[in-house]
Amino acid sequence: MKYIYLILCLLLAFGILDAEMQGDTSLYGYKFLNVPSGPISLAMASRGVHNANNATAFILQPAASCEADHRILTIASSPWLADTQANCIAYSYAKRLSHFGIALRNLDYGEIENRDDTAFLIGKYTPLDIDLLLNYSYRISPSLYFGFNVGGLYQKLNTATSLGAHGDFGFSLIPPIAGTKLSATFRNVGQATNTNEEKVRFPTSTEVDFTKQLKLGENDLLLGASGLQVAGEDLKGSVSAELQLFKLLSLRGGYKLNYAAENISAGFGLAYRRISIDYGYAAFTSGLNDVHSLGVAYQF
């Protein structure tokens, strides 16, 4: 068991060291990879990786969904910042011993005016970020899971384009305390072709999540705490909670710590038989618009 904890600690330390060594945020792009991929994650402070109903959990934590027992197809759409639109379709198939997942994400910027140095309109263009992600995870032992993601992305900015490949890997551990779970992951490791002859780095991050599940009669309460270090940024954290009532209604909320323009998030989910509808909300400050997300999921 001590070797498991050592691996998790080394993973976290390596990520923090890497982020501190490369502190210039202007060097990093592909930030759309960190946009929440659905309403459950958005409502739970952009995390929710240990939520068994979150079909997009593997995007953030490639090992976290392995112990679940579900097959979920979900479609989510989020009007994002500055009139952009984040969309995601994901499939999650977990059978306790292994997990397979696939997700297609994009960030649509709409039409943007293209003007010359004199502000004369010379046309319009449509920037686009799109990413296809594959996941596989498996159980190493009764209390330890390992998973990885591999993805390919395409980015278009006016006439400039780039192609890239990236990956994530992580561990998920069930400590000998009932209802608890601990995960650590290293995300967004990759390389891409130059954009306008400029090399842009991936927003590599190290992320840790801890949750505690409590039984309240026929209801369940999930409490979570997370910490993450993104390359070129300060250390951040969050707390979140979900109260599931009679497996029909889920109330969610979260709060982000040390974020420049983000704080409170909330949402809910309604489930009926195999179909669920989820809504998420996140408040932004500094003159940015608040964000809403809506998703529909079907359990096979």
Side-chain angles (χ1 to χ4, degrees), residues 13 44 52 65 69 111 114 125 143 166 183 220 237 269 277 284-285:
M44 300 184 72
S65 298
D69 184 15
E111 283 192 339
N114 190 13
Y125 63 97
S143 61
H166 63 98
S183 295
D220 294 290
I277 298 175
F284 280 74
T285 59

Side-chain angles (χ1 to χ4, degrees), residues 212-216 219-223 241-244:
K212 171 67 176 178
Q213 187 171 23
L214 301 172
K215 280 286 185 180
L216 304 176
N219 306 313
D220 294 290
L221 177 63
L222 183 67
L223 302 175
E242 179 191 68
L243 177 61
Q244 189 177 89

Side-chain angles (χ1 to χ4, degrees), residues 65-71 92-96 98-100:
S65 298
C66 190
E67 68 165 301
D69 184 15
H70 66 222
R71 281 202 300 165
S92 174
Y93 182 23
K95 48 185 180 180
R96 300 191 184 278
S98 64
H99 174 271
F100 169 77

Side-chain angles (χ1 to χ4, degrees), residues 32-49 51 53-60 72-80 85-91 102-107 133 187 242 252-253 256 262 265-269 276-282 284 291-297:
F32 80 99
L33 295 174
N34 291 328
V35 173
S37 299
I40 297 179
S41 290
L42 182 67
M44 300 184 72
S46 297
R47 302 305 298 169
V49 300
N51 189 312
N53 296 317
N54 188 2
T56 63
F58 67 87
I59 296 175
L60 292 175
I72 307 176
L73 176 65
T74 185
I75 300 175
S77 181
S78 308
W80 198 241
Q85 183 85 21
N87 304 299
C88 177
I89 179 170
Y91 173 72
I102 182 170
L104 179 64
R105 300 176 285 171
N106 86 294
L107 186 63
L133 191 73
R187 295 184 60 235
E242 179 191 68
R252 307 178 180 111
K256 294 183 177 181
E262 303 172 60
S265 62
F268 64 88
S276 60
I277 298 175
D278 297 287
Y279 167 78
Y281 162 83
F284 280 74
V291 172
H292 305 266
S293 179
L294 185 66
V296 177

Side-chain angles (χ1 to χ4, degrees), residues 186-296:
F186 197 41
R187 295 184 60 235
N188 299 330
V189 181
Q191 292 288 331
T193 58
N194 290 359
T195 303
N196 278 340
E197 300 182 356
E198 181 179 354
K199 191 68 174 178
V200 181
R201 295 172 180 167
F202 279 76
T204 305
S205 64
T206 303
E207 305 168 6
V208 176
D209 294 272
F210 175 80
T211 56
K212 171 67 176 178
Q213 187 171 23
L214 301 172
K215 280 286 185 180
L216 304 176
E218 298 183 24
N219 306 313
D220 294 290
L221 177 63
L222 183 67
L223 302 175
S226 304
L228 63 156
Q229 178 71 71
V230 181
E233 300 181 12
D234 295 332
L235 182 66
K236 297 181 174 67
S238 67
V239 291
S240 61
E242 179 191 68
L243 177 61
Q244 189 177 89
L245 302 172
F246 307 106
K247 300 188 182 298
L248 296 175
L249 173 64
S250 297
L251 303 176
R252 307 178 180 111
Y255 190 84
K256 294 183 177 181
L257 306 169
N258 204 32
Y259 281 73
E262 303 172 60
N263 44 47
I264 296 173
S265 62
F268 64 88
L270 295 171
Y272 180 71
R273 294 186 178 179
R274 296 181 179 272
I275 297 176
S276 60
I277 298 175
D278 297 287
Y279 167 78
Y281 162 83
F284 280 74
T285 59
S286 302
L288 299 173
N289 58 281
D290 295 341
V291 172
H292 305 266
S293 179
L294 185 66
V296 177

Side-chain angles (χ1 to χ4, degrees), residues 141-212:
S141 72
S143 61
L144 181 64
Y145 301 82
F146 172 75
F148 61 90
N149 297 328
V150 291
L153 63 80
Y154 169 78
Q155 183 178 76
K156 177 185 177 184
L157 301 172
N158 199 356
T159 58
T161 61
S162 67
L163 294 170
H166 63 98
D168 322 303
F169 66 91
F171 294 89
S172 187
L173 174 68
I174 301 176
I177 303 173
T180 62
K181 194 170 183 181
L182 175 66
S183 295
T185 184
F186 197 41
R187 295 184 60 235
N188 299 330
V189 181
Q191 292 288 331
T193 58
N194 290 359
T195 303
N196 278 340
E197 300 182 356
E198 181 179 354
K199 191 68 174 178
V200 181
R201 295 172 180 167
F202 279 76
T204 305
S205 64
T206 303
E207 305 168 6
V208 176
D209 294 272
F210 175 80
T211 56
K212 171 67 176 178

